[in-house]
Amino acid sequence: MKRVIYILSLILSLGLSHTALAQERIVFINEGSRSAFPINLIDSITVPDSFLFNIYPTGQISPLVVSADSALFMNVHSDTLKLDFHDNWVDVRNPKMESIEIQPHGANITIRNHGASPFVCMATGSCQDGRLIVDSDTTCTLLLSNLYLSSREGSAIYIKQKQKAEIVLMEGTINTLMDAANYNHSDTTDTSNGCIYSKGSLTFRGGGILNVYGNHRHSIFSSKNITVEDGSINILNTQKDGIHCDKYKQKGGIINLHLSQIATKGVKTKKEFELKNGNINGVASADLKIEDGETSYCTLIKSDSLFTMSGGELSLKNTGKGGRCISVENTLKMTAGIMHLECHGDGGRYLTAANDSDYYTSKCITADDSIFIQGGHLNCLSTGLGGKGIVAGTYLAIGNDTEPKDTEPVIRVETKGECIINNVDEDQCFGCPKGIKVGSQIDVFCGDIRVNTSGSGGEGIECKGIIRLHKSEVQCITCEDGINAGQHIVIDGAHIYCYSTDNDGIDSNGKITMKDGIVVSISQHEQDESFDSDNGRFYIFGGIVFGIGRDWTKVREVEQPYYSTGITEAMNEPITLHASHYLILKEGEKNLYSVQIPNDIENAFITCSMPFLSENYSYRIVEAVYINEEQQSLFDGKLIIGGYSNNYTTLKVIQPQI
């Protein structure tokens, strides 16, 4: 039996009453037997080793030594337990808690609380081999104040039960937690697998800094939910997930993610991810994992269900092969806030489990189902082979009809990579870069969208089904098609500028329907059109159309005025349009619409349709160097409305077909 030293003599010498012992006391438990000290006469308690307590009574320098299984603090009035960690022991100060049991094992401290009241524990100090274990059936609050805690056995902080817990980073403090690379639990019921591990919900707040090194598996793990209200959390190493939980909600604070291990995730949720305010910054440099024909990608934010963002800022950069910034299995919705996303890793080929050839590519945003971008600023940059900006498996909606103009989304997408495979036959290209790629349908209700692709094979906006463009501004400057749809493109009120160097400006494998708006489409590649539709199913019912192409654009006749001509067929010799000059539709000496010519274009065909053209007026298509007194400029001066031009060259006098 372990001995209890000095307890009886201390109790007798202090002349304690039975009432004092019952109300405020610390009880040392020794294989079932119990002995008590009055708490109001104790300054501090040191736990230097397993089953050994040093008690410092008020006004005394020398400690009283007690050997016991554990210590229980009972029936007291203050609300903070203070732990000061050292390499081989822990100071327990002001243990003014009700029904708190301290169980030591070197610098590993287990706090047991099975009372009805929540408790608060402050942890500080520096320890190279210690743990803080909380076994409580009530809510606990852990105050971290310049705590450095590293474990060689398991997690640094382990919250064993499913009660809620708060971790408060004290103002102005820097706290660092590390877990063991290989866990060696002495307790067989210990199932922890993260540096901070909780079976219940976790909330982080406070004005301090927390550095977390997840050396075994996860950095921060909760079986339920994680909420970040304030503070700065730096995930400096993780083997699996930086933050892993069912639901993640951030209301403020700063999260910094650093991923360097293959196929790791920054924030991983089984259900919802929600960013309402605050910042998440992430840098990933790890490649994907290919195992048994299955791929797993290094991803900075991964949700197995939903992603919502209504404020705050995301700044994410992934340089690994096939890397993702944001990956969502269900639906992504953004209503406000700022996203800066970069992917620089290359795509590549691999063999599936069925031994079929497949390929992977990097993606700034990917959702298996739908993406709704209703507000905020979104910037995507992808530079690797086959890299993509925004990818939705089924549906993409940008803006909506009800929000005021100052809440309309602003989207910038740029890709610089080439196709993964680009044979001489263009039909054999695959794994090509895309600015925006969607499976079934795109609806652009409003917003300012600009897409640039500079690598070969790069398309601007691609959808296998239908694209509807409403009251928005859309600019695509691309290598391949600017806008491409598998079935139908409907333009109804949008302002659109498309310029392709190696393919069609606007291309539909089905129909193109122009109802209203202003559209400029330019293709400078040989035998490609400004508007390319299946069997010439290009219908113009209204709006303004200006096309420049190297092949004839076929327009179906409808009950609206339109004009379409090929300049090379109308002139005696081929016409070259000159870079930076303006192609202008004039009514008398007045400029109606002017399109800036991006590069020298030989043998150009022009498509021009405007509903207000009258057979009573003289119209000309001219080329000029300058525009004076413009009324309106769109797309950084690429489309100008109104104004006058001197020293122009007349290319064609036209007579509207009414």
Side-chain angles (χ1 to χ4, degrees), residues 5-27:
I5 307 172
Y6 295 139
I7 290 182
L8 294 178
S9 61
L10 179 65
I11 294 174
L12 293 174
S13 65
L14 295 175
L16 296 174
S17 67
H18 175 75
T19 302
L21 286 174
Q23 291 179 348
E24 299 183 4
R25 66 183 189 269
I26 176 172
V27 178

Side-chain angles (χ1 to χ4, degrees), residues 183-240:
Y183 283 16
N184 182 24
H185 297 310
S186 57
D187 180 1
T188 58
T189 66
D190 188 342
T191 60
S192 61
N193 62 5
C195 185
I196 299 176
Y197 183 94
S198 176
K199 290 185 177 178
S201 297
L202 271 177
T203 298
F204 291 88
R205 57 185 177 87
I209 297 172
L210 175 61
N211 300 317
V212 185
Y213 294 83
N215 297 316
H216 176 68
R217 189 169 174 83
H218 306 299
S219 296
I220 301 174
F221 178 95
S222 170
S223 296
K224 292 188 176 179
N225 307 330
I226 290 178
T227 301
V228 178
E229 295 185 351
D230 203 356
S232 297
I233 301 175
N234 301 317
I235 305 298
L236 299 177
N237 187 46
T238 188
Q239 303 300 312
K240 182 64 176 178

Side-chain angles (χ1 to χ4, degrees), residues 472-490:
S472 55
E473 289 194 3
V474 180
Q475 173 181 283
C476 295
I477 300 176
T478 59
C479 180
E480 293 293 316
D481 295 339
I483 298 175
N484 178 283
Q487 297 177 5
H488 196 183
I489 297 174
V490 180

Side-chain angles (χ1 to χ4, degrees), residues 152-408:
R152 298 175 186 171
E153 180 181 326
S155 55
I157 294 178
Y158 175 30
I159 301 172
K160 296 184 68 172
Q161 298 198 44
K162 295 182 179 180
Q163 300 302 318
K164 295 180 180 179
E166 287 188 343
I167 295 180
V168 180
L169 310 175
M170 302 299 289
E171 186 74 35
T173 66
I174 300 176
N175 307 277
T176 300
L177 302 174
M178 299 183 183
D179 65 349
N182 299 299
Y183 283 16
N184 182 24
H185 297 310
S186 57
D187 180 1
T188 58
T189 66
D190 188 342
T191 60
S192 61
N193 62 5
C195 185
I196 299 176
Y197 183 94
S198 176
K199 290 185 177 178
S201 297
L202 271 177
T203 298
F204 291 88
R205 57 185 177 87
I209 297 172
L210 175 61
N211 300 317
V212 185
Y213 294 83
N215 297 316
H216 176 68
R217 189 169 174 83
H218 306 299
S219 296
I220 301 174
F221 178 95
S222 170
S223 296
K224 292 188 176 179
N225 307 330
I226 290 178
T227 301
V228 178
E229 295 185 351
D230 203 356
S232 297
I233 301 175
N234 301 317
I235 305 298
L236 299 177
N237 187 46
T238 188
Q239 303 300 312
K240 182 64 176 178
D241 301 334
I243 298 175
H244 181 104
C245 55
D246 264 5
K247 297 180 181 180
Y248 178 89
K249 179 182 290 187
Q250 186 169 341
K251 302 177 181 179
I254 301 172
I255 304 294
N256 294 310
L257 304 168
H258 299 267
L259 306 181
S260 59
Q261 303 299 318
I262 290 177
T264 49
K265 311 295 187 287
V267 179
K268 170 70 162 58
T269 67
K270 293 182 178 180
K271 297 178 182 176
E272 293 93 329
F273 173 99
E274 181 179 3
L275 178 61
K276 301 186 72 174
N277 209 339
N279 296 65
I280 300 180
N281 307 307
V283 177
S285 58
D287 294 336
L288 77 164
K289 178 172 67 175
I290 302 175
E291 188 174 34
D292 297 329
E294 299 292 334
T295 55
S296 179
Y297 301 97
C298 181
T299 307
L300 284 154
I301 296 178
K302 175 72 168 71
S303 172
D304 289 347
S305 181
L306 304 174
F307 175 106
T308 61
M309 181 174 178
S310 57
E313 185 170 348
L314 286 173
S315 181
L316 308 177
K317 182 178 180 180
N318 197 328
T319 61
K321 290 182 179 180
R324 281 98 161 94
C325 289
I326 301 172
S327 178
V328 182
E329 290 195 7
N330 195 334
T331 299
L332 180 147
K333 183 177 181 180
M334 179 183 183
T335 57
I338 300 172
M339 288 191 192
H340 297 283
L341 310 178
E342 295 184 23
C343 284
H344 299 287
D346 285 335
R349 301 178 66 181
Y350 72 100
L351 293 177
T352 68
N355 210 35
D356 296 325
S357 178
D358 205 344
Y359 65 92
Y360 58 85
T361 60
S362 295
K363 300 169 184 176
C364 292
I365 294 179
T366 177
D368 291 353
D369 193 351
S370 301
I371 295 177
F372 298 86
I373 304 174
Q374 298 177 341
H377 291 244
L378 170 59
N379 302 297
C380 297
L381 171 62
S382 179
T383 63
L385 292 176
K388 296 170 178 59
I390 301 171
V391 179
T394 302
Y395 180 64
L396 169 65
I398 299 176
N400 56 59
D401 287 329
T402 60
E403 295 297 328
K405 190 172 181 59
D406 59 359
T407 66
E408 292 182 359

Side-chain angles (χ1 to χ4, degrees), residues 434-451:
K434 311 282 183 184
I436 298 174
K437 180 179 179 180
V438 180
S440 298
Q441 184 169 322
I442 298 175
D443 281 313
V444 181
F445 297 103
C446 63
D448 181 358
I449 301 99
R450 301 195 181 196
V451 181

Side-chain angles (χ1 to χ4, degrees), residues 17 21-22 60 80 83 85 89 114 120 130 150 171 176 182 221-222 236 251 278 311 359 427 457 484 537 622 624 655:
S17 67
L21 286 174
Q60 293 191 25
T80 302
L83 304 177
F85 281 86
W89 71 91
H114 301 290
V120 179
S150 178
E171 186 74 35
T176 300
N182 299 299
F221 178 95
S222 170
L236 299 177
K251 302 177 181 179
Y359 65 92
D427 292 336
N484 178 283
R537 291 194 294 166
V622 307
Q655 180 65 39

